[in-house]
Amino acid sequence: MNIFLILKFACAAAVVITSIFSLAYTGNNRLVSLFTQLFLSLMFLFSGISEFKTNRKTYAIVSFSVSLFAAIVFISTLLLRKG
């Protein structure tokens, strides 16, 4: 296994854990949802890198574009945070 695959699985585990935490403890959990978006963006970035290394360019481009979208949502949510 290469390092990007291990990082992808680690980020996926972090996404699952933060999602379960935000569902279990309802209320004002904006910080948890920000971490979920961050780890989701990193997961797709590492997935795109590993797909690019195995010469699956179409899947890599899709993963990079989803990662870019998730990163833009994360940054805009972080900058527009109120209170």
Side-chain angles (χ1 to χ4, degrees):
M1 291 178 71
N2 62 16
I3 188 69
F4 296 112
L5 193 61
I6 294 169
L7 289 173
K8 179 177 76 169
F9 286 135
C11 287
V15 166
V16 169
I17 289 169
T18 55
S19 296
I20 289 172
F21 183 76
S22 68
L23 287 174
Y25 298 105
T26 59
N28 195 6
N29 289 330
R30 286 182 60 101
L31 187 63
V32 176
S33 66
L34 284 175
F35 278 119
T36 304
Q37 290 174 356
L38 174 68
F39 286 124
L40 190 65
S41 174
L42 289 175
M43 182 187 73
F44 277 110
L45 177 69
F46 295 140
S47 175
I49 291 172
S50 67
E51 294 292 333
F52 191 74
K53 287 182 111 181
T54 58
N55 289 328
R56 289 183 251 175
K57 308 268 192 255
T58 306
Y59 296 124
I61 291 171
V62 170
S63 292
F64 285 139
S65 59
V66 170
S67 172
L68 180 66
F69 177 73
I72 288 171
V73 169
F74 168 70
I75 291 170
S76 66
T77 306
L78 191 64
L79 292 177
L80 296 176
R81 186 174 151 181
K82 295 179 183 172

